Structures are given as structure tokens and as C-alpha cells.
Amino acid sequence: MANITANEETIERLATDIPVAVWVTNPGGDRNWGLNINENRKEKFFSSPYLRDAGTGIRVVGELSEEAPANSPFAKEENRGKEGLVPYGGGDCGFFAVSSFSYVTATESEVAFIDGYDKTVFETDEAVCVIMLEVARRNGIEVGDEISLPLYSLTYDVHQNIIYSPLGEQTVKVVGTYDSRENPTEFFLPARWVTGVMESRGIDVNYNDMSGFLKDPRQLSVFKESIKDLGFLEPNPEAYMDFTGAAITVQDEQYITAEPLGQTVVLFRRFQIPFFALVISMIVLAIFLIMRGSRRVMAISVSLGRPRFLCAMGCFLGHL
């Protein structure tokens, strides 16, 4: 019983301390960002009863400066192809539209919201954004300001080319700033607002990143069996390389080392009843054999006038 309890406590602690991440990837399993994940797969992924903190993101590019950068779909014809600041292949600033704050690549302490807004704003369809503090200072943007700029979403074709879908001139309100030197994304937006803009312009909604965590890593095997029911595939390294988000990868390398503990618990429970039965049988048999050897002592006690019951109980308790 002590071994079973100790192993179960260890497994429960590992399930809490070692979260198992689940990522949507391309069929080959070698890419989990910059994908084309359609709305149907997104809904099925979010509806899985085995996942928690499911999140998704859409990459959006914008033009914050007045001069259109080179190679931009919005650039003037005479400026296209010229060298310039084009870090995103078609815009001078990058947006990441997220479904919840858990998908923001910054901690809560790094983000400062204005009054009336908090991290739940990313779960709404409001036209708001959070901007990198350095970018805000460089462009003279203050929290509470409204900025207007052309935006376009990114998808990928079979030849691995980026397709820019214009979302038009959009106005968003700056409701917060964040200070993170390790994060290259200038803006964060609510994904619901971006998908609403895409639908209003007749653009197919595609998500570029999607992930979550297992609620209970002990159900790892059950979740893997449900992947096909969610409309996803298991990664196949030999699959044709593309950017379709059609497979699911489970990062279970650390937790899977705890699997022998679970097998040990199963083994202990399987032999628990036979073990107890064997121990009880051995105790009864030992007492019976010992008492058989005490018949002479009990016979003498009875012949001296001691009651049989007291003789038997005395020997029994003594040997027990």
C-alpha cells in the first residue's frame, strides 16, 4: 500500500510540474508556426476535452511609416524592389493576433494596460492593440491613441511563397504597452477582431499558430488516440513539405519517462488482492500448525480443571 501511494503521489506531482505541450504542425511535423490552419480544424482543436489553455495566433503585417517600404503590396510602383527596411517581407511592423493572453509572448509584469482594459481584451473582438514600448517611443505613439494603417494577413502556397491578403486601412486603439527585449513582435491584437475583418472582406480565415496543454498528462495515450477524431494526422517525416496545419505533435519527452511509474502502480494493484489472500492464508496455517503442537499443553491444562475455551484462547493469543 505504501508503494502504491508513493508512486501515485509522484505521478500526480509530475502531471503538475511537467506540462505536456500540444502543437499543430505541418504533416511532416517539422514546422509549428507560419501555417495555414483552417477554421474547422481550429474549432475541433479547441473543443478537445483533453486540452487546456488552447491558443491560436494570426500573423498580420502593417505599414506604420508614411513611406511604403520596398516589396510591399501597398508600396508605390516606383518604390517596389528598392532596398529598405522590410523585416516581414512586405511591411515595416509585425502584428500577432492572439486568442488569449496566454498566447502573448510576454509576461503579465511586462505589459501595462490603461484603465478599463486588462489581459482579457484579447478574448474580445475590439479593434485594440498592445504595442512594444520601444516602437511607441520611436513613432511618438501614446497609450490611448488611435493609429490608422494598412494591414494584410499572411498565408502560404504550395511553393512556400507568402500570399498577402489586404485587410485595408484599419484603425486600432492602443490600450497598452509591453517592454520585452526578447520579443520581435511590435503589436498584439485580438484574433477575433482580425478574423471578423477577414470575413467581412471575403478572405478565408487561416490561423498561423496553434497550441495547448494536456489537462491531465496521465491521459496522454487517450489523447493520442483521439487525434484522428479531431481531424488531424500524426506527423510523418516522409510527408511532402508544405504549410498546411494538418498534424499534431505532442511534446511528451519529459513526461513519458514517468510512464514506468504508472505501470508499476498497475502491477501493484493487480497483485494486491492475491498478496493479501496469501498472507492471511499463511498466518492462519501457521497458527493452526503451532496450535496442533500445543495440544499436550492444553490437555494438561484441561485435566487440571481449566476450561477448554480459556485454554484454547490462551494458546491462540500467545502464538498470534
Side-chain angles (χ1 to χ4, degrees), residues 97-134:
V98 298
S99 60
S100 65
F101 186 81
S102 63
Y103 223 61
V104 174
T105 49
T107 63
E108 290 190 44
S109 62
E110 293 174 332
V111 182
F113 291 97
I114 61 175
D115 291 341
Y117 292 90
D118 56 29
K119 64 181 183 179
T120 60
V121 72
F122 295 110
E123 301 171 18
T124 70
D125 57 359
E126 293 187 58
V128 296
C129 70
V130 171
I131 184 173
M132 183 187 290
L133 189 59
E134 181 182 345

Side-chain angles (χ1 to χ4, degrees), residues 157-304:
D157 64 14
V158 294
H159 302 293
Q160 304 176 19
N161 297 316
I162 299 176
I163 301 173
Y164 299 96
S165 301
L167 303 180
E169 187 86 10
Q170 300 294 332
T171 300
V172 294
K173 180 180 179 179
V174 179
V175 298
T177 59
Y178 77 95
D179 189 11
S180 176
R181 298 178 182 272
E182 299 179 357
N183 194 336
T185 304
E186 285 91 346
F187 295 84
F188 287 99
L189 297 165
R192 283 177 56 190
W193 176 73
V194 172
T195 57
V197 173
M198 296 173 71
E199 291 171 352
S200 67
R201 299 181 68 88
I203 299 173
D204 292 336
V205 175
N206 275 294
Y207 301 88
N208 305 125
D209 301 70
M210 197 170 296
S211 66
F213 294 91
L214 285 184
K215 290 180 180 178
D216 186 355
R218 289 170 292 185
Q219 294 184 314
L220 178 62
S221 300
V222 181
F223 172 73
K224 288 184 175 181
E225 293 175 358
S226 72
I227 288 178
K228 290 186 178 180
D229 296 333
L230 296 177
F232 290 90
L233 307 171
E234 292 185 5
N236 179 9
E238 297 181 0
Y240 176 77
M241 181 178 177
D242 63 14
F243 294 97
T244 304
I248 284 181
T249 297
V250 183
Q251 297 179 345
D252 56 358
E253 293 81 5
Q254 286 184 301
Y255 183 80
I256 208 166
T257 58
E259 193 171 1
L261 291 176
Q263 297 174 350
T264 301
V265 171
V266 172
L267 186 64
F268 280 155
R269 290 202 177 279
R270 185 175 299 170
F271 286 98
Q272 187 176 15
I273 295 177
F275 175 76
F276 280 129
L278 177 62
V279 170
I280 292 172
S281 299
M282 291 177 64
I283 291 174
V284 172
L285 179 61
I287 293 175
F288 174 75
L289 294 176
I290 291 172
M291 289 188 69
R292 280 180 61 89
S294 303
R295 286 184 299 175
R296 178 177 298 179
V297 176
M298 287 189 290
I300 295 173
S301 298
V302 171
S303 66
L304 295 175

